[in-house]
Amino acid sequence: MGFRLANVGGRAALVVGDDYYDVESVSGGSIGGDPMHALRHAADLMTVASTLDEQEPTGLLDDVTLGPPVPAPQKCFGIGLNYLDHATEASVDVPKNPLVFTKFPSCLVGPTADVELRSGLCDYEGELVVVIGEGGRDIAPEMAWAHVAGVAVGQDISDREMQFAASPPHFDLGKTYDTYGPIGPVMVSADEIADVGALRITTTVNGEARQNDTVANMVFDVPTLIAYLSQVTTLVTGDLIFTGTPAGVGAPQGKFLADGDIIVTTIDGIGSITNRCVMVEPKGRPA
Ligand code: ZN
């Protein structure tokens, strides 16, 4: 049986419908309250999740503000140009190997957090986020899903001014400002996803449809990405992969994010994250 893991006030919680259950409480203390600790006990979470109909909910989701379901991964990767139509709109060739950059874990925020813009050239990128379960090195593609704890909805917010301040562009800095990694609303355990390719990612800005594609149109699929990354570095529980964004980002249309904009990113079967943009005064910005 699968589960939906959330972060309520820094504590791991299991979500069923409109209710949440504090993991430490419903596990009788056998699983700690830290969401990162809970992730390392996925099998126990499965067992606890199967007992929830006998337990009292801790509270209602409506009454709390969720944090990022995976708040402190050791590593957080992004994949550039991983959808054919997005590479085309960006006027670049489709990469021959995965184009990898990093988002510092410090950019992660919850599913309803504000995004702090520091230039007028910030962009949205709705993405499927993969959460590593059991870690490993040199993971074979056919074994990769066994190393996935679950998936979440994410936004790889990107400051194009910073990204293209260098030539060739440096992806990392433009994508790792504080608040540039909203994820959530929950992590859905991998066994709940019957067909990852069928997952549909949509992004709207102020209600206007901007992105709409399915995971099946990735250039490099999830197993390929896990195999590729794990050749280089040992993946550990909680590591995140932002797996790339479909076509429809703002830059090619000249539609950049502005103060007050509301971004809604949805993956059917996982949920939605809703993030408001707030323009803050740029401080010490490099030219
Ligand atoms: Zn991206």
Side-chain angles (χ1 to χ4, degrees), residues 72-77 103 105 233-236 238-241:
Q74 184 192 82
K75 297 185 287 297
C76 181
F77 301 98
K103 288 173 81 73
T233 182
T234 302
L235 298 178
V236 302
D239 283 350
L240 299 181
I241 308 171

Side-chain angles (χ1 to χ4, degrees), residues 2-8 11-16 20-24 31-42 45 49 61 66-71 111 131 149-152 183-189 192 270:
F3 59 86
R4 296 179 163 244
L5 184 67
N7 172 348
V8 178
R11 293 182 61 81
L14 290 167
V15 169
V16 180
Y20 72 90
Y21 299 76
D22 184 83
V23 164
E24 188 170 14
I31 307 174
D34 178 350
M36 301 308 297
H37 182 269
L39 266 178
R40 288 191 281 272
H41 293 79
L45 280 176
L61 284 177
L66 297 179
V70 184
V131 184
V151 295
I183 57 171
V186 295
M187 186 200 80
V188 177
S189 62
E192 298 267 291
I270 302 176

